[in-house]
Amino acid sequence: MITNKFYEDLDRLIPNPVCELHYTKDYELLLAVMMSAQTTDKRVNMVTDILYKKYPTLEELKNASIEDLIQIIRPIGTFHKKAQNIKMIAKDLLEHSDGKVPNDRAYLESLPGVGRKTTNVVLSILYNVPCIAVDTHVERVSKRIGLANEKDSVLEVEKKLTRKLPKDQLNKLHHQLLLFGRYYCKSRNPECETCPFQDMCKNYKKQQKK
Ligand code: SF4
């Protein structure tokens, strides 16, 4: 059972739960989330700050040379694939919806490099669709504090969070769980001694028994 105190503590620890990726246009968010696979938001921001300045429209991204895109986004890894994805997504958005990112899950998931997690992030931020994206931080925190089981798949974690958390707060809680995982409940050396969730945390209890 999730208490009000849990939500209050999260509000206190993460009072400003927003996406840390840099973007000013809907497609910039979509591309940034696609590029964030297997890297950090910090690295993605480093490359998108350059990329979006050099190619400020979808048309320009569509027509950019693949070699130049690779050069710019090299620091984020899997850059060959991601550079191709950028061009293909830009082309598809221009042809499909006049360059707009539509509120259409099936369409978004059909784009190259865009899976369920990316779609959830984009739909929740752009259209306030009540869904929760389970990334590595959300998964780790959810399992540690018992919102999901250790062996649950990412999809099972998503389903459990969607069922257990208040629907009208899912978007905010997504960012809070993610940022709590990124800055407090880190993979290594989590800040357990000052954590308000010790009582519900399987990881903490395990450590105490050692
Ligand atoms: S007690 Fe430690 S492992 Fe558990 S939720 Fe808090 S920071 Fe994470």
Side-chain angles (χ1 to χ4, degrees):
M1 154 121 183
I2 307 172
T3 61
N4 284 340
K5 186 176 174 303
F6 171 75
Y7 298 112
E8 287 162 11
D9 285 331
L10 262 184
D11 282 341
R12 185 172 48 76
L13 289 171
I14 314 290
N16 188 27
V18 291
C19 177
E20 292 189 325
L21 290 167
H22 297 171
Y23 68 96
T24 56
K25 299 169 187 161
D26 57 357
Y27 71 80
E28 289 184 352
L29 173 67
L30 173 62
L31 294 177
V33 183
M34 179 278 288
M35 282 187 267
S36 71
Q38 270 112 47
T39 188
T40 62
D41 285 4
K42 214 170 166 180
R43 274 180 183 269
V44 173
N45 288 336
M46 250 166 58
V47 304
T48 54
D49 286 351
I50 299 166
L51 181 72
Y52 297 156
K53 201 169 171 194
K54 184 161 186 189
Y55 298 100
T57 66
L58 263 185
E59 192 74 36
E60 285 164 289
L61 283 168
K62 183 188 93 172
N63 296 328
S65 86
I66 200 88
E67 291 76 21
D68 194 40
L69 293 183
I70 286 172
Q71 209 45 44
I72 295 171
I73 70 167
R74 192 171 279 275
I76 61 174
T78 53
F79 40 83
H80 282 109
K81 193 91 208 131
K82 287 174 181 173
Q84 283 169 356
N85 290 346
I86 291 170
K87 280 176 70 72
M88 287 194 285
I89 291 173
K91 183 172 182 286
D92 211 305
L93 284 178
L94 285 164
E95 288 169 3
H96 176 272
S97 46
D98 214 14
K100 281 263 151 256
V101 176
N103 183 357
D104 181 341
R105 172 178 293 281
Y107 169 72
L108 293 176
E109 288 188 8
S110 76
L111 293 171
V114 179
R116 187 175 178 88
K117 189 195 81 180
T118 300
T119 300
N120 281 357
V121 174
V122 168
L123 290 181
S124 70
I125 293 177
L126 296 181
Y127 293 105
N128 210 23
V129 173
C131 54
I132 193 153
V134 179
D135 74 343
T136 179
H137 301 297
V138 174
E139 181 180 5
R140 181 177 65 256
V141 170
S142 301
K143 289 181 175 178
R144 282 178 173 172
I145 61 179
L147 292 175
N149 295 325
E150 194 50 48
K151 288 187 177 157
D152 284 343
S153 66
V154 169
L155 185 60
E156 282 166 338
V157 175
E158 182 189 320
K159 283 184 183 164
K160 285 186 178 173
L161 294 180
T162 308
R163 204 173 61 234
K164 291 177 181 180
L165 301 175
K167 211 173 178 172
D168 61 346
Q169 292 195 49
L170 275 182
N171 302 352
K172 171 181 153 189
L173 286 164
H174 159 68
H175 291 298
Q176 287 184 318
L177 291 174
L178 186 157
L179 295 171
F180 175 65
R182 183 175 290 165
Y183 296 113
Y184 295 92
C185 188
K186 294 166 279 191
S187 172
R188 286 186 199 172
N189 303 322
E191 298 186 16
C192 301
E193 290 319 309
T194 55
C195 178
F197 308 129
Q198 291 168 353
D199 284 354
M200 60 198 292
C201 180
K202 296 175 187 173
N203 194 58
Y204 184 75
K205 286 175 189 157
K206 224 187 282 170
Q207 279 175 9
Q208 295 308 102
K209 280 184 192 158
K210 282 181 186 168

